[in-house]
Amino acid sequence: MKSSNDVSSIGLVPESLRVELRRLVNVEYDNVMSDMLAYIIIRGPVTLYMVSRETPYSISSIYKKAKYMVKNNLLTPMGLNGKSNGKHIYEVTVKGLLTCLAYKCLDDDIVLNKLKIRWNLRNYNNYRLVSILTVLPYIIKNENLRIIENIDTLMITALSALVNNTIINNKLIDEYTVTNVKNTSIYYLVSNIINSMSNNKKPDIILGNNSFLIGYYKNSKILYVYICRLCDKNCILTYASCDNHCPLIAELSKDMINLVK
């Protein structure tokens, strides 16, 4: 994958995506929030006192807005009980970063780079990141928005939606974006989660269709199930301990022999 430095985000975030992100985050946005987000993204984590000192708002206005932003998961207090060295300090959440991107409170490059740091996607270019953001409003609802704070869960959710064709037919998302997100999520899962589950060894083969996605280790005959919806168990990222009656084994037997000879 290309380094994030290889691609500028100028013109990369279309207005249509900002509109969808606004619907997704679903918050009451104003200039106070915009300036607070911008300041804390760049300078944070910081105290609200520092925000008040370096923005044109009173401390009472800052505290009132911060209370709303914490309640709506745009800011989060850091440290034990939200304190560090006895002071209340705050940082912006992923939802806060998406809100800034939606309303363009800062240059897109700054926000995208912060997102990549929070999601541990530093080696992913901005095109791949924007592709993920494009499908986000269609795979996650506002009430489940905390999923976005955990990149592992987000990648699993995205891949699950794509493998099961739940958004492929959406006219607002082109096939290239769907393919890009699917490839990115598979790459992430194999490179990070699956490797940690399987002693850092990548599968010899990855197989899948609309019902399952698995990794196969030829020498040990082990299957790791990333997603499987062939039975009521609905497995996601688990070791496959199927017997001959498992629907997954029956499906794999159709084409596995030729692939692993």
Side-chain angles (χ1 to χ4, degrees), residues 33-242:
M33 184 186 294
S34 180
D35 290 344
M36 288 180 65
L37 282 175
Y39 181 86
I40 300 175
I41 288 171
I42 293 176
R43 302 291 182 87
V46 295
T47 64
L48 297 181
Y49 172 73
M50 287 301 299
V51 177
S52 176
R53 279 192 59 180
E54 301 195 25
T55 59
Y57 307 108
S58 66
I59 189 66
S60 60
S61 297
I62 293 296
Y63 269 94
K64 181 179 180 180
K65 185 60 66 174
K67 183 177 180 181
Y68 173 83
M69 294 170 74
V70 170
K71 180 180 179 181
N72 285 274
N73 197 34
L74 303 179
L75 296 180
T76 184
M78 292 187 63
L80 183 64
N81 297 321
K83 291 185 177 182
S84 178
N85 296 324
K87 298 180 179 180
H88 290 277
I89 59 174
Y90 296 82
E91 69 173 346
V92 175
T93 63
V94 171
K95 183 180 178 182
L97 291 170
L98 293 183
T99 302
C100 179
L101 191 67
Y103 289 94
K104 203 171 175 56
C105 79
L106 284 169
D107 182 82
D108 289 343
D109 273 325
I110 296 174
V111 183
L112 293 176
N113 286 332
K114 291 289 186 179
L115 268 174
K116 285 189 283 192
I117 292 172
R118 290 296 298 272
W119 278 342
N120 195 26
L121 300 177
R122 293 173 178 84
N123 295 326
Y124 291 64
N125 66 36
N126 286 344
Y127 285 111
R128 290 187 180 275
L129 184 60
V130 171
S131 292
I132 295 171
L133 297 179
T134 300
V135 303
L136 211 55
Y138 304 99
I139 63 175
I140 296 175
K141 302 301 181 184
N142 182 268
E143 60 268 21
N144 297 321
L145 205 52
R146 288 187 179 272
I147 289 174
I148 66 176
E149 301 294 331
N150 186 303
I151 186 60
D152 294 351
T153 305
L154 175 57
M155 287 295 193
I156 294 168
T157 302
L159 186 57
S160 177
L162 294 170
V163 166
N164 289 278
N165 294 328
T166 58
I167 69 170
I168 289 178
N169 294 325
N170 192 306
K171 295 180 181 179
L172 298 178
I173 303 177
D174 60 89
E175 187 175 346
Y176 172 80
T177 297
V178 169
T179 301
N180 196 13
V181 175
K182 187 173 182 180
N183 290 341
T184 299
S185 57
I186 291 174
Y187 178 91
Y188 176 87
L189 293 172
V190 172
S191 298
N192 294 276
I193 303 177
I194 305 304
N195 284 351
S196 65
M197 290 173 58
S198 52
N199 299 320
N200 294 317
K201 290 180 61 179
K202 292 184 179 181
D204 296 300
I205 296 170
I206 297 176
L207 294 173
N209 59 25
N210 292 339
S211 299
F212 69 88
L213 183 71
I214 62 100
Y216 180 73
Y217 295 82
K218 184 166 57 175
N219 293 332
S220 58
K221 308 297 183 184
I222 290 176
L223 295 178
Y224 275 91
V225 179
Y226 309 157
I227 293 174
C228 181
R229 300 182 184 279
L230 290 168
C231 64
D232 294 334
K233 291 183 179 180
N234 203 20
C235 302
I236 294 180
L237 287 175
T238 58
Y239 168 70
S241 57
C242 293

